[in-house]
Amino acid sequence: MPTLDDLDRRIRTALTNEPDVSHALAYGSRTQRLNGQRLDDEFSDLEYYAYLRPGTVLDVRAFLEHLTPLLLYVVNDFGTPNAVTPELHRVELHAAQADQMSDILAWPNSHADVSAMPIKDEDGALAHLLVQWTSGPSWTPGEAQTIYDQTLNWLVFAAAVSGRGEQLRAAEFLGWVRGGLTRLARFALHSPQFPAATRFAERDLGLWAQQILQVDGGTQAIIRAISTCRRQATELELNVHAELLDKLEERLEWQLRLERRRRN
Protein backbone atom coordinates (compact mmCIF):
# COMPACT_ATOMS: atom_id res chain seq x y z
CA MET A 1 0.00 0.00 0.00
CA PRO A 2 1.57 3.33 -1.05
CA THR A 3 2.28 5.65 1.86
CA LEU A 4 1.71 9.38 1.81
CA ASP A 5 5.45 9.84 1.28
CA ASP A 6 5.39 7.41 -1.66
CA LEU A 7 2.58 9.32 -3.35
CA ASP A 8 4.25 12.65 -2.64
CA ARG A 9 7.44 11.46 -4.36
CA ARG A 10 5.45 10.24 -7.37
CA ILE A 11 3.63 13.55 -7.77
CA ARG A 12 6.78 15.64 -7.31
CA THR A 13 8.61 13.57 -9.93
CA ALA A 14 5.71 13.79 -12.38
CA LEU A 15 5.43 17.56 -11.96
CA THR A 16 9.17 17.91 -12.53
CA ASN A 17 8.94 15.83 -15.72
CA GLU A 18 5.74 17.43 -17.07
CA PRO A 19 6.84 19.55 -20.07
CA ASP A 20 3.95 22.03 -19.82
CA VAL A 21 4.80 22.86 -16.19
CA SER A 22 7.46 25.55 -15.79
CA HIS A 23 7.21 25.94 -12.00
CA ALA A 24 5.66 23.84 -9.25
CA LEU A 25 5.53 23.85 -5.49
CA ALA A 26 4.08 21.99 -2.53
CA TYR A 27 2.33 23.82 0.29
CA GLY A 28 0.27 23.02 3.39
CA SER A 29 1.19 21.17 6.56
CA ARG A 30 3.87 19.03 4.90
CA THR A 31 5.84 22.20 4.22
CA GLN A 32 5.40 23.77 7.64
CA ARG A 33 7.57 23.66 10.77
CA LEU A 34 7.01 24.96 14.29
CA ASN A 35 10.08 25.20 16.52
CA GLY A 36 11.86 22.91 14.10
CA GLN A 37 9.14 20.22 14.25
CA ARG A 38 7.11 19.12 11.24
CA LEU A 39 3.39 19.89 11.43
CA ASP A 40 2.21 17.02 9.23
CA ASP A 41 1.42 13.38 9.94
CA GLU A 42 -0.03 10.35 8.15
CA PHE A 43 -3.46 12.05 8.01
CA SER A 44 -2.24 15.17 6.20
CA ASP A 45 -3.29 16.20 2.70
CA LEU A 46 -0.95 16.52 -0.27
CA GLU A 47 -1.24 20.01 -1.74
CA TYR A 48 0.45 21.45 -4.82
CA TYR A 49 0.50 24.27 -7.34
CA ALA A 50 1.50 23.60 -10.95
CA TYR A 51 2.29 26.74 -12.98
CA LEU A 52 1.90 26.30 -16.72
CA ARG A 53 3.63 27.67 -19.78
CA PRO A 54 1.61 30.24 -21.76
CA GLY A 55 -1.09 28.68 -23.90
CA THR A 56 -0.99 25.27 -22.20
CA VAL A 57 -3.45 23.44 -19.96
CA LEU A 58 -3.09 20.54 -17.56
CA ASP A 59 -5.73 17.82 -17.32
CA VAL A 60 -5.40 17.37 -13.57
CA ARG A 61 -7.56 14.28 -13.42
CA ALA A 62 -5.62 12.48 -16.15
CA PHE A 63 -2.34 13.62 -14.61
CA LEU A 64 -3.24 12.09 -11.23
CA GLU A 65 -4.84 8.95 -12.66
CA HIS A 66 -1.55 8.20 -14.39
CA LEU A 67 0.06 8.06 -10.92
CA THR A 68 -2.61 6.37 -8.77
CA PRO A 69 -6.16 5.02 -8.95
CA LEU A 70 -8.75 7.54 -7.73
CA LEU A 71 -11.87 6.78 -5.71
CA LEU A 72 -13.07 10.37 -6.09
CA TYR A 73 -12.21 13.32 -8.29
CA VAL A 74 -14.07 16.59 -7.80
CA VAL A 75 -13.59 20.32 -8.20
CA ASN A 76 -14.23 21.69 -4.72
CA ASP A 77 -16.28 24.69 -3.61
CA PHE A 78 -13.30 26.99 -4.26
CA GLY A 79 -12.63 25.80 -7.81
CA THR A 80 -9.68 23.54 -6.99
CA PRO A 81 -9.32 19.94 -8.23
CA ASN A 82 -9.37 17.45 -5.34
CA ALA A 83 -8.85 13.70 -5.48
CA VAL A 84 -9.02 10.77 -3.05
CA THR A 85 -6.91 7.63 -3.52
CA PRO A 86 -7.72 4.04 -2.43
CA GLU A 87 -5.55 4.65 0.67
CA LEU A 88 -7.83 7.66 1.46
CA HIS A 89 -5.00 10.07 0.79
CA ARG A 90 -6.44 13.42 -0.30
CA VAL A 91 -4.65 15.37 -3.03
CA GLU A 92 -5.27 19.00 -3.96
CA LEU A 93 -3.61 20.16 -7.17
CA HIS A 94 -4.05 23.70 -8.49
CA ALA A 95 -3.17 24.30 -12.15
CA ALA A 96 -2.51 27.99 -12.86
CA GLN A 97 -0.76 30.07 -15.47
CA ALA A 98 2.81 31.05 -14.70
CA ASP A 99 1.91 34.75 -14.69
CA GLN A 100 -0.29 34.07 -11.64
CA MET A 101 2.70 32.97 -9.58
CA SER A 102 2.99 36.38 -7.90
CA ASP A 103 -0.27 35.58 -6.08
CA ILE A 104 1.98 33.70 -3.63
CA LEU A 105 2.85 37.06 -2.07
CA ALA A 106 -0.74 37.35 -0.80
CA TRP A 107 -0.73 33.95 0.94
CA PRO A 108 -0.77 33.92 4.77
CA ASN A 109 2.82 33.37 5.92
CA SER A 110 2.42 30.85 8.74
CA HIS A 111 5.28 28.57 9.84
CA ALA A 112 6.45 27.94 6.27
CA ASP A 113 9.62 25.99 5.55
CA VAL A 114 10.47 27.26 2.06
CA SER A 115 13.14 24.61 1.63
CA ALA A 116 10.36 21.99 1.48
CA MET A 117 8.17 23.86 -1.01
CA PRO A 118 9.88 24.14 -4.46
CA ILE A 119 9.46 21.23 -6.86
CA LYS A 120 10.31 22.80 -10.22
CA ASP A 121 11.78 26.24 -10.86
CA GLU A 122 13.26 26.61 -14.33
CA ASP A 123 14.38 30.23 -14.09
CA GLY A 124 14.64 30.92 -10.33
CA ALA A 125 11.50 33.08 -10.33
CA LEU A 126 9.73 30.82 -7.84
CA ALA A 127 12.65 30.89 -5.40
CA HIS A 128 12.74 34.70 -5.64
CA LEU A 129 9.01 34.95 -4.87
CA LEU A 130 9.25 32.57 -1.91
CA VAL A 131 12.08 34.64 -0.41
CA GLN A 132 9.96 37.79 -0.82
CA TRP A 133 6.98 36.06 0.75
CA THR A 134 8.78 34.73 3.81
CA SER A 135 10.59 38.06 4.29
CA GLY A 136 7.24 39.73 4.84
CA PRO A 137 5.28 39.79 8.09
CA SER A 138 4.12 36.49 9.56
CA TRP A 139 0.39 35.85 9.66
CA THR A 140 -1.31 37.00 12.85
CA PRO A 141 -4.97 36.85 13.90
CA GLY A 142 -7.06 39.95 14.48
CA GLU A 143 -7.38 41.71 17.81
CA ALA A 144 -8.94 39.63 20.58
CA GLN A 145 -11.71 42.17 21.25
CA THR A 146 -12.75 42.20 17.60
CA ILE A 147 -12.82 38.40 17.47
CA TYR A 148 -14.86 38.30 20.67
CA ASP A 149 -17.38 40.84 19.33
CA GLN A 150 -17.70 38.90 16.08
CA THR A 151 -18.29 35.72 18.07
CA LEU A 152 -21.08 37.39 20.05
CA ASN A 153 -22.69 38.50 16.80
CA TRP A 154 -22.82 34.88 15.57
CA LEU A 155 -24.10 33.79 18.98
CA VAL A 156 -27.04 36.20 18.83
CA PHE A 157 -27.77 35.04 15.28
CA ALA A 158 -27.71 31.38 16.38
CA ALA A 159 -30.06 32.14 19.29
CA ALA A 160 -32.51 33.94 16.99
CA VAL A 161 -32.87 31.11 14.49
CA SER A 162 -32.96 28.58 17.32
CA GLY A 163 -35.91 30.47 18.81
CA ARG A 164 -37.65 30.16 15.45
CA GLY A 165 -37.13 26.39 15.60
CA GLU A 166 -34.35 26.25 12.97
CA GLN A 167 -32.00 24.10 15.02
CA LEU A 168 -29.90 22.88 12.09
CA ARG A 169 -29.28 26.47 11.00
CA ALA A 170 -28.42 27.41 14.59
CA ALA A 171 -25.91 24.56 14.69
CA GLU A 172 -24.34 25.93 11.49
CA PHE A 173 -23.90 29.38 13.07
CA LEU A 174 -22.48 27.81 16.21
CA GLY A 175 -19.62 26.56 14.05
CA TRP A 176 -18.54 30.20 13.73
CA VAL A 177 -18.97 30.62 17.48
CA ARG A 178 -16.72 27.61 18.16
CA GLY A 179 -14.12 29.04 15.80
CA GLY A 180 -14.12 32.36 17.64
CA LEU A 181 -13.98 30.74 21.07
CA THR A 182 -11.09 28.55 19.91
CA ARG A 183 -9.15 31.56 18.67
CA LEU A 184 -9.75 33.36 21.98
CA ALA A 185 -8.62 30.29 23.93
CA ARG A 186 -5.31 30.46 22.03
CA PHE A 187 -4.93 34.05 23.17
CA ALA A 188 -5.72 33.10 26.76
CA LEU A 189 -3.19 30.25 26.83
CA HIS A 190 -0.56 31.97 24.66
CA SER A 191 -0.74 28.98 22.32
CA PRO A 192 0.58 29.02 18.73
CA GLN A 193 -1.80 30.73 16.33
CA PHE A 194 -2.67 29.12 12.99
CA PRO A 195 -4.95 30.47 10.24
CA ALA A 196 -7.20 27.50 11.10
CA ALA A 197 -7.93 28.18 14.77
CA THR A 198 -9.00 24.58 15.48
CA ARG A 199 -5.72 23.06 14.28
CA PHE A 200 -4.21 20.94 17.10
CA ALA A 201 -6.85 22.39 19.43
CA GLU A 202 -7.13 19.24 21.58
CA ARG A 203 -3.35 19.15 21.98
CA ASP A 204 -2.89 22.87 22.64
CA LEU A 205 -6.01 23.99 24.51
CA GLY A 206 -6.81 21.26 27.03
CA LEU A 207 -10.06 21.90 28.93
CA TRP A 208 -10.90 24.89 26.75
CA ALA A 209 -11.12 22.55 23.75
CA GLN A 210 -13.42 20.16 25.62
CA GLN A 211 -15.73 23.00 26.68
CA ILE A 212 -15.86 24.54 23.20
CA LEU A 213 -16.70 21.16 21.67
CA GLN A 214 -19.88 21.16 23.80
CA VAL A 215 -21.15 24.19 21.84
CA ASP A 216 -22.71 21.78 19.38
CA GLY A 217 -26.35 22.74 18.82
CA GLY A 218 -29.60 23.43 20.63
CA THR A 219 -30.58 25.95 23.26
CA GLN A 220 -28.44 24.40 26.01
CA ALA A 221 -25.38 24.63 23.76
CA ILE A 222 -25.98 28.34 23.21
CA ILE A 223 -26.25 28.85 26.98
CA ARG A 224 -22.94 26.97 27.40
CA ALA A 225 -21.42 29.27 24.79
CA ILE A 226 -22.52 32.32 26.77
CA SER A 227 -20.81 30.95 29.88
CA THR A 228 -17.61 30.30 27.92
CA CYS A 229 -17.74 33.81 26.43
CA ARG A 230 -17.96 35.34 29.89
CA ARG A 231 -14.97 33.37 31.16
CA GLN A 232 -12.81 34.08 28.15
CA ALA A 233 -13.59 37.79 28.07
CA THR A 234 -12.85 38.08 31.80
CA GLU A 235 -9.56 36.20 31.48
CA LEU A 236 -8.48 38.33 28.50
CA GLU A 237 -9.72 41.56 30.15
CA LEU A 238 -12.06 42.32 27.26
CA ASN A 239 -15.31 44.23 27.19
CA VAL A 240 -17.66 41.39 28.12
CA HIS A 241 -20.82 43.13 26.83
CA ALA A 242 -22.54 41.91 29.99
CA GLU A 243 -25.90 43.54 29.23
CA LEU A 244 -26.10 41.76 25.89
CA LEU A 245 -25.21 38.39 27.42
CA ASP A 246 -27.69 38.89 30.27
CA LYS A 247 -30.54 39.63 27.85
CA LEU A 248 -29.59 36.73 25.63
CA GLU A 249 -29.42 34.37 28.59
CA GLU A 250 -32.81 35.56 29.81
CA ARG A 251 -34.39 34.87 26.42
CA LEU A 252 -32.82 31.43 26.21
CA GLU A 253 -33.97 30.46 29.70
CA TRP A 254 -37.50 31.42 28.67
CA GLN A 255 -37.08 29.38 25.49
CA LEU A 256 -35.93 26.37 27.53
CA ARG A 257 -39.00 26.59 29.76
CA LEU A 258 -41.20 26.75 26.67
CA GLU A 259 -39.47 23.69 25.18
CA ARG A 260 -39.99 21.73 28.41
CA ARG A 261 -43.71 22.58 28.45
CA ARG A 262 -44.04 21.41 24.86
CA ARG A 263 -42.39 18.09 25.69
CA ASN A 264 -44.68 17.57 28.67
Side-chain angles (χ1 to χ4, degrees):
M1 178 183 296
T3 67
L4 203 61
D5 287 339
D6 294 333
L7 183 57
D8 183 37
R9 282 190 290 269
R10 286 185 201 171
I11 294 173
R12 286 172 176 264
T13 299
L15 287 171
T16 300
N17 294 334
E18 173 56 50
D20 290 337
V21 172
S22 59
H23 305 80
L25 62 79
Y27 71 101
S29 62
R30 287 176 64 86
T31 65
Q32 294 175 330
R33 307 288 184 271
L34 179 62
N35 300 324
Q37 300 297 312
R38 291 177 58 154
L39 295 181
D40 64 305
D41 57 24
E42 68 271 26
F43 302 105
S44 296
D45 299 334
L46 295 175
E47 299 163 289
Y48 309 93
Y49 262 87
Y51 294 99
L52 307 175
R53 302 184 194 283
T56 64
V57 296
L58 180 68
D59 185 332
V60 173
R61 181 172 194 161
F63 176 86
L64 292 174
E65 286 182 329
H66 183 69
L67 305 174
T68 176
L70 301 180
L71 297 183
L72 176 70
Y73 177 86
V74 64
V75 175
N76 71 13
D77 309 53
F78 309 103
T80 303
N82 282 231
V84 179
T85 73
E87 299 76 31
L88 300 183
H89 301 323
R90 204 181 71 85
V91 181
E92 187 165 304
L93 174 55
H94 303 250
Q97 295 300 306
D99 60 8
Q100 296 176 274
M101 203 159 49
S102 60
D103 291 351
I104 291 170
L105 298 177
W107 292 0
N109 177 9
S110 177
H111 310 295
D113 175 8
V114 291
S115 68
M117 296 178 70
I119 296 172
K120 187 175 185 178
D121 188 12
E122 291 185 340
D123 56 5
L126 177 58
H128 178 70
L129 278 171
L130 290 174
V131 168
Q132 278 187 274
W133 175 56
T134 54
S135 298
S138 296
W139 178 88
T140 55
E143 295 293 326
Q145 184 68 61
T146 300
I147 294 169
Y148 177 74
D149 292 351
Q150 291 168 342
T151 301
L152 292 188
N153 184 54
W154 282 112
L155 190 58
V156 173
F157 205 168
V161 297
S162 174
R164 187 188 293 151
E166 296 179 337
Q167 299 304 331
L168 190 57
R169 193 177 181 204
E172 176 187 359
F173 294 157
L174 286 176
W176 291 95
V177 173
R178 288 194 301 273
L181 294 175
T182 304
R183 180 71 69 201
L184 292 168
R186 291 189 176 278
F187 278 111
L189 296 174
H190 306 286
S191 293
Q193 295 279 6
F194 302 100
T198 52
R199 190 175 187 185
F200 302 126
E202 288 78 7
R203 183 195 72 183
D204 293 345
L205 305 180
L207 289 175
W208 277 123
Q210 296 176 34
Q211 292 170 9
I212 293 167
L213 194 58
Q214 299 305 308
V215 180
D216 54 0
T219 307
Q220 287 283 12
I222 301 172
I223 292 173
R224 288 193 291 269
I226 292 172
S227 175
T228 303
C229 283
R230 290 188 195 275
R231 292 198 302 274
Q232 287 190 337
T234 301
E235 187 161 337
L236 291 167
E237 299 181 342
L238 305 177
N239 177 359
V240 180
H241 296 293
E243 183 178 0
L244 169 62
L245 293 181
D246 289 345
K247 287 181 176 295
L248 189 57
E249 209 162 31
E250 182 180 333
R251 177 193 288 179
L252 290 165
E253 292 292 350
W254 173 83
Q255 189 172 315
L256 271 180
R257 290 194 296 271
L258 187 61
E259 290 173 4
R260 292 188 191 109
R261 284 200 296 269
R262 286 172 178 165
R263 285 197 297 268
N264 294 333

Coordinates of all heavy atoms in Angstrom, one line a residue, residues 96-138:
A96 N -2.4 26.6 -12.6 CA -2.5 28.0 -12.9 C -1.5 28.4 -13.9 O -0.5 27.7 -14.1 CB -2.3 28.8 -11.6
Q97 N -1.7 29.5 -14.5 CA -0.8 30.1 -15.5 C 0.4 30.7 -14.7 O 0.3 31.1 -13.6 CB -1.4 31.1 -16.3 CG -2.5 30.6 -17.3 CD -2.0 29.5 -18.2 OE1 -1.0 29.7 -18.9 NE2 -2.7 28.4 -18.2
A98 N 1.6 30.6 -15.4 CA 2.8 31.1 -14.7 C 2.7 32.5 -14.3 O 3.4 32.9 -13.3 CB 4.0 30.8 -15.6
D99 N 2.0 33.3 -15.0 CA 1.9 34.8 -14.7 C 1.1 35.0 -13.4 O 1.0 36.1 -13.0 CB 1.4 35.6 -15.9 CG 0.0 35.2 -16.3 OD1 -0.7 34.4 -15.7 OD2 -0.4 35.7 -17.4
Q100 N 0.5 33.9 -12.9 CA -0.3 34.1 -11.6 C 0.6 33.7 -10.4 O 0.1 33.8 -9.3 CB -1.5 33.1 -11.7 CG -2.6 33.5 -12.7 CD -3.7 32.4 -12.7 OE1 -3.6 31.4 -13.4 NE2 -4.7 32.7 -12.0
M101 N 1.8 33.4 -10.7 CA 2.7 33.0 -9.6 C 2.9 34.0 -8.5 O 3.1 33.7 -7.3 CB 4.0 32.5 -10.2 CG 4.8 31.6 -9.3 SD 6.0 30.6 -10.2 CE 6.9 31.9 -11.1
S102 N 2.8 35.3 -8.9 CA 3.0 36.4 -7.9 C 1.9 36.4 -6.9 O 2.0 37.1 -5.8 CB 3.1 37.7 -8.6 OG 1.9 38.0 -9.3
D103 N 0.8 35.7 -7.1 CA -0.3 35.6 -6.1 C 0.3 35.0 -4.8 O -0.4 35.2 -3.7 CB -1.4 34.7 -6.6 CG -2.2 35.4 -7.7 OD1 -2.0 36.6 -8.0 OD2 -3.1 34.7 -8.3
I104 N 1.4 34.3 -4.8 CA 2.0 33.7 -3.6 C 2.2 34.8 -2.6 O 2.1 34.5 -1.4 CB 3.3 33.0 -4.0 CG1 3.1 31.8 -4.8 CG2 4.1 32.7 -2.8 CD1 4.3 31.2 -5.4
L105 N 2.5 36.0 -3.0 CA 2.9 37.1 -2.1 C 1.7 37.4 -1.2 O 1.9 38.0 -0.1 CB 3.3 38.3 -2.8 CG 4.6 38.1 -3.6 CD1 5.0 39.4 -4.4 CD2 5.8 37.7 -2.7
A106 N 0.5 37.1 -1.6 CA -0.7 37.4 -0.8 C -1.1 36.2 0.1 O -2.1 36.3 0.9 CB -1.9 37.7 -1.7
W107 N -0.4 35.1 0.1 CA -0.7 33.9 0.9 C -0.4 34.3 2.4 O 0.6 35.0 2.7 CB 0.1 32.7 0.5 CG -0.3 32.1 -0.8 CD1 -1.2 32.5 -1.7 CD2 0.4 31.0 -1.4 NE1 -1.2 31.7 -2.8 CE2 -0.3 30.7 -2.6 CE3 1.4 30.1 -1.0 CZ2 0.1 29.7 -3.5 CZ3 1.7 29.1 -1.8 CH2 1.1 28.9 -3.0
P108 N -1.2 33.7 3.4 CA -0.8 33.9 4.8 C 0.6 33.2 5.0 O 0.7 32.0 4.7 CB -1.9 33.3 5.6 CG -2.6 32.4 4.6 CD -2.4 33.0 3.2
N109 N 1.5 33.9 5.6 CA 2.8 33.4 5.9 C 2.8 32.8 7.3 O 2.9 33.5 8.3 CB 3.9 34.5 5.8 CG 5.3 34.0 6.2 OD1 5.5 32.8 6.4 ND2 6.2 34.9 6.3
S110 N 2.6 31.5 7.4 CA 2.4 30.9 8.7 C 3.3 29.6 8.8 O 2.9 28.6 8.3 CB 0.9 30.5 9.0 OG 0.7 29.8 10.2
H111 N 4.4 29.7 9.5 CA 5.3 28.6 9.8 C 5.8 27.8 8.6 O 6.0 26.6 8.6 CB 4.5 27.6 10.7 CG 3.9 28.2 11.9 ND1 4.6 28.8 12.9 CD2 2.6 28.4 12.3 CE1 3.8 29.3 13.8 NE2 2.5 29.0 13.5
A112 N 6.0 28.6 7.5 CA 6.5 27.9 6.3 C 7.9 27.6 6.3 O 8.8 28.3 6.8 CB 6.2 28.9 5.1
D113 N 8.2 26.4 5.8 CA 9.6 26.0 5.6 C 9.8 26.0 4.0 O 9.5 25.1 3.3 CB 9.9 24.6 6.1 CG 11.3 24.1 5.8 OD1 12.1 24.8 5.3 OD2 11.5 22.9 6.1
V114 N 10.4 27.1 3.5 CA 10.5 27.3 2.1 C 11.4 26.2 1.4 O 11.3 26.0 0.2 CB 10.9 28.7 1.7 CG1 9.8 29.7 2.0 CG2 12.2 29.1 2.3
S115 N 12.3 25.6 2.2 CA 13.1 24.6 1.6 C 12.4 23.4 1.2 O 12.8 22.6 0.4 CB 14.2 24.2 2.6 OG 13.7 23.5 3.7
A116 N 11.2 23.2 1.8 CA 10.4 22.0 1.5 C 9.3 22.3 0.4 O 8.7 21.3 -0.1 CB 9.6 21.5 2.7
M117 N 9.2 23.5 -0.1 CA 8.2 23.9 -1.0 C 8.5 23.7 -2.5 O 7.7 23.1 -3.2 CB 7.7 25.3 -0.7 CG 7.1 25.5 0.7 SD 6.6 27.2 1.0 CE 5.2 27.4 -0.1
P118 N 9.7 24.2 -3.0 CA 9.9 24.1 -4.5 C 10.0 22.7 -5.0 O 10.6 21.8 -4.4 CB 11.2 24.9 -4.6 CG 11.4 25.7 -3.4 CD 10.8 24.8 -2.3
I119 N 9.4 22.5 -6.1 CA 9.5 21.2 -6.9 C 10.1 21.4 -8.2 O 11.0 20.7 -8.6 CB 8.1 20.6 -7.1 CG1 7.4 20.3 -5.7 CG2 8.1 19.4 -7.9 CD1 6.0 19.9 -5.8
K120 N 9.7 22.5 -8.9 CA 10.3 22.8 -10.2 C 10.4 24.3 -10.4 O 9.4 25.0 -10.1 CB 9.4 22.2 -11.3 CG 10.0 22.3 -12.7 CD 9.1 21.6 -13.7 CE 9.8 21.6 -15.1 NZ 8.9 20.8 -16.1
D121 N 11.6 24.8 -10.8 CA 11.8 26.2 -10.9 C 12.8 26.5 -12.0 O 14.0 26.6 -11.7 CB 12.3 26.8 -9.5 CG 12.4 28.3 -9.4 OD1 11.8 28.9 -10.4 OD2 12.9 28.8 -8.5
E122 N 12.3 26.6 -13.2 CA 13.3 26.6 -14.3 C 14.1 27.9 -14.4 O 15.3 27.8 -14.8 CB 12.5 26.5 -15.6 CG 11.9 25.1 -15.8 CD 11.2 25.0 -17.2 OE1 10.8 26.0 -17.8 OE2 11.0 23.8 -17.6
D123 N 13.6 29.0 -13.9 CA 14.4 30.2 -14.1 C 14.7 30.9 -12.8 O 15.2 32.1 -12.8 CB 13.6 31.2 -15.0 CG 12.2 31.5 -14.5 OD1 11.9 31.0 -13.4 OD2 11.4 32.2 -15.2
G124 N 14.4 30.3 -11.6 CA 14.6 30.9 -10.3 C 13.6 31.9 -9.9 O 13.7 32.4 -8.8
A125 N 12.5 32.1 -10.7 CA 11.5 33.1 -10.3 C 10.7 32.6 -9.1 O 10.3 33.5 -8.3 CB 10.5 33.3 -11.5
L126 N 10.5 31.3 -9.0 CA 9.7 30.8 -7.8 C 10.5 31.0 -6.6 O 10.0 31.5 -5.5 CB 9.4 29.3 -8.0 CG 8.7 28.6 -6.9 CD1 7.4 29.3 -6.6 CD2 8.5 27.2 -7.2
A127 N 11.8 30.7 -6.6 CA 12.6 30.9 -5.4 C 12.7 32.4 -5.0 O 12.6 32.7 -3.8 CB 14.1 30.4 -5.7
H128 N 12.7 33.3 -5.9 CA 12.7 34.7 -5.6 C 11.4 35.1 -4.9 O 11.4 35.8 -3.9 CB 12.9 35.5 -6.9 CG 12.9 37.0 -6.7 ND1 13.9 37.7 -6.1 CD2 12.0 37.9 -7.1 CE1 13.6 39.0 -6.1 NE2 12.4 39.1 -6.7
L129 N 10.3 34.6 -5.5 CA 9.0 34.9 -4.9 C 8.9 34.4 -3.5 O 8.4 35.1 -2.6 CB 7.9 34.4 -5.7 CG 7.5 35.2 -6.9 CD1 6.5 34.4 -7.8 CD2 6.8 36.5 -6.5
L130 N 9.4 33.2 -3.2 CA 9.3 32.6 -1.9 C 10.1 33.3 -0.9 O 9.7 33.5 0.3 CB 9.7 31.1 -2.0 CG 8.7 30.2 -2.7 CD1 9.3 28.8 -2.8 CD2 7.3 30.1 -2.0
V131 N 11.3 33.8 -1.3 CA 12.1 34.6 -0.4 C 11.3 35.9 -0.1 O 11.3 36.3 1.1 CB 13.5 34.9 -1.0 CG1 14.2 36.0 -0.2 CG2 14.3 33.7 -1.1
Q132 N 10.7 36.6 -1.1 CA 10.0 37.8 -0.8 C 8.8 37.5 0.2 O 8.6 38.3 1.1 CB 9.4 38.3 -2.1 CG 10.3 39.1 -3.0 CD 9.5 39.7 -4.1 OE1 9.4 39.1 -5.2 NE2 9.0 40.9 -4.0
W133 N 8.1 36.4 -0.1 CA 7.0 36.1 0.7 C 7.4 35.8 2.2 O 6.8 36.4 3.1 CB 6.3 34.8 0.1 CG 5.2 34.2 0.9 CD1 4.1 34.9 1.3 CD2 5.1 32.9 1.4 NE1 3.2 34.0 2.0 CE2 3.8 32.8 2.1 CE3 5.9 31.8 1.3 CZ2 3.4 31.6 2.7 CZ3 5.5 30.6 1.9 CH2 4.2 30.5 2.6
T134 N 8.4 35.0 2.4 CA 8.8 34.7 3.8 C 9.5 35.9 4.5 O 9.6 35.9 5.7 CB 9.7 33.5 3.9 OG1 10.8 33.6 3.0 CG2 8.9 32.2 3.5
S135 N 10.0 36.9 3.7 CA 10.6 38.1 4.3 C 9.6 39.0 4.8 O 9.9 40.0 5.6 CB 11.5 38.8 3.3 OG 12.5 37.9 2.8
G136 N 8.3 38.9 4.4 CA 7.2 39.7 4.8 C 6.8 39.4 6.2 O 7.3 38.4 6.9
P137 N 5.8 40.1 6.7 CA 5.3 39.8 8.1 C 4.6 38.4 8.2 O 4.0 38.0 7.2 CB 4.3 40.9 8.3 CG 3.8 41.4 7.0 CD 5.0 41.2 6.1
S138 N 4.8 37.8 9.3 CA 4.1 36.5 9.6 C 2.6 36.7 9.8 O 2.2 37.8 10.2 CB 4.7 35.8 10.8 OG 6.1 35.4 10.6

